[in-house]
Structures are given as C-alpha cells and as structure tokens.
C-alpha cells in the first residue's frame, strides 16, 4: 500500500506508526503521497510494527560483554552455551515455563522479569534477533538465535 521505498515504523515516544523513507532518510506522520490506505491497513494487520518477547540469553567467551549477574567473567565456549540452550529446549518441551527457565539461566538483566523485553519495534534490537522475533507468531518460541550478545531462545508473547 505504500509507494516504494517508503516503509512504516513504530515510534516508541509517540506510541504510533510513522512513515520512513530509507533512501532519503525522511520520516513523517502522514501517509506518503500515493499510499493506498486500504492496502496499508491490510499490510499492517499482517506485519506487526512492534512485538513483545521474552528471551533466554546464554553468553559465552565470544560475547560482546561476557559478564552478567550470574558471572563477572563468562568463559564457556559458544558450543557449550548452545548445548545449555538445547537442554532448556527439552525442559520447555516437557512443560516447564519459559519465564521460570529465564529466571534460572538467562544472562540478560531481563531475567528478573522472566526474560521479558517488553515491546520493541524495528531498529531497536540486533538484526538477527529482530529478524527471528518478528518472524514468530504470538505464543511461538524460536530455535537458537545468535547475536553479538550470545545465543538466545525467544518467545513472542504479543
Ligand atoms: N530497546 C530495548 N528494549 N532495549 C535496548 C536493547 C539494545 C539491544 N540489545 C540487544 O540487541 C540484545 C539482544 C536482544 C536483547 C538484548 C539484550 C542485551 C544483551 O546483553 P548485552 O550483550 O547488551 O550485555 N542487553 C541489553 O541491551 C541492542 N541493540 O544492542
């Protein structure tokens, strides 16, 4: 519904969508000239501007900041961190809650909130995390996702 290359994004401060042109870097509140309003509404129904996710982060020696409330010097290898997430995937499948496992194991400060990162729009999280999170349906949990922070499991809740 939008004339290319315009895209639509979510403004956290104004709590509403705005329109962004990645070529000119222009941003505006009103729909760009030539927008098909009906198609835009349909597009927005299928492409959430923001999502709310829980995550479990296992940091490792290659993490951009290899420290957390659990350890001031994280030395496990990336392979070991992946093994730990695979164990957590099994525990999720056997019915343990995502929140309880995040509180137990996540190296992100969001562990205190069961891994809850709140709502975020495009452009806020590292791109591999954003890509995986926006591909999830509400209630769905990702596979193992890698970022500069470490390795993650992501559950979309809204
Ligand atoms: N906008 C919101 N709500 N908060 C700012 C998030 C900033 C963002 N963070 C991430 O992408 C990592 C991966 C997903 C969650 C996340 C959490 C990191 C992981 O821990 P760290 O590698 O930083 O030690 N801790 C906090 O930022 C970024 N662009 O670096």
């Amino acid at each position: 519904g939008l004339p290319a290359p315009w895209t639509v994004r979510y403004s956290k401060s104004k709590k509403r969508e705005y329109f962004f042109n990645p070529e000119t870097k222009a941003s505006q509140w009103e729909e760009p000239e030539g927008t098909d309003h009906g198609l835009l509404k349909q597009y927005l129904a299928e492409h959430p501007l923001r999502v709310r996710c829980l995550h479990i982060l296992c940091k490792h020696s290659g993490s951009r900041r290899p420290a957390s409330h659990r350890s001031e010097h994280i030395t496990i290898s990336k392979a070991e961190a992946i093994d730990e997430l695979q164990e957590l995937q099994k525990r999720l499948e056997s019915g343990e809650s995502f929140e309880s496992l995040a509180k137990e194991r996540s190296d992100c400060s969001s562990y205190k909130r069961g891994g809850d990162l709140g709502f975020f729009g495009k452009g806020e999280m590292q791109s591999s995390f954003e890509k995986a999170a926006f591909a999830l349906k509400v209630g769905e949990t990702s596979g193992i996702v890698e970022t500069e922070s470490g390795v993650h499991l992501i559950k979309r809740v809204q």
Side-chain angles (χ1 to χ4, degrees):
L2 282 175
W6 285 92
T7 63
V8 54
R9 286 195 159 182
Y10 183 76
S11 159
K12 268 179 93 156
S13 56
K14 296 282 187 299
K15 297 198 181 342
R16 54 160 292 188
E17 74 269 0
Y18 67 94
F19 300 92
F20 176 67
N21 182 323
E23 276 172 17
T24 64
K25 302 284 181 245
S27 61
Q28 59 186 59
W29 296 116
E30 53 285 338
E31 294 179 3
E33 270 309 294
T35 297
D36 177 321
H37 185 74
L39 281 180
L40 176 60
K41 285 297 155 210
Q42 186 185 330
Y43 175 89
L44 291 175
E46 288 147 21
H47 299 79
L49 290 177
R50 60 182 196 152
V51 295
R52 181 179 175 189
C53 292
L54 317 178
H55 81 130
I56 298 169
L57 168 59
C58 281
K59 292 190 173 186
H60 52 75
S61 55
S63 290
R64 68 180 181 184
R65 193 173 69 85
S68 73
H69 67 285
R70 302 179 83 251
S71 161
E72 62 185 43
H73 187 44
I74 293 170
T75 56
I76 64 167
S77 69
K78 181 171 157 186
E80 284 165 325
I82 287 171
D83 285 345
E84 289 201 39
L85 280 188
Q86 286 170 338
E87 281 313 304
L88 293 178
Q89 285 178 310
K90 291 191 187 111
R91 292 173 62 185
L92 285 169
E93 279 147 29
S94 67
E96 291 188 62
S97 80
F98 196 100
E99 291 83 345
S100 61
L101 295 176
K103 283 180 181 157
E104 175 187 321
R105 181 58 185 85
S106 186
D107 281 311
C108 178
S109 55
S110 59
Y111 83 97
K112 296 183 284 258
R113 297 183 299 281
D116 193 355
L117 290 168
F119 280 99
F120 53 92
K122 300 250 169 111
E124 289 185 55
M125 302 300 176
Q126 291 164 71
S127 55
S128 55
F129 189 95
E130 171 185 298
K131 195 167 165 15
F134 276 78
L136 295 171
K137 293 182 181 57
V138 173
E140 209 177 353
T141 298
S142 73
I144 294 173
V145 176
E146 301 186 10
T147 69
E148 298 293 305
S149 297
V151 289
H152 311 248
L153 295 176
I154 307 167
K155 180 177 185 178
R156 182 179 169 197
V157 294
Q158 280 183 265

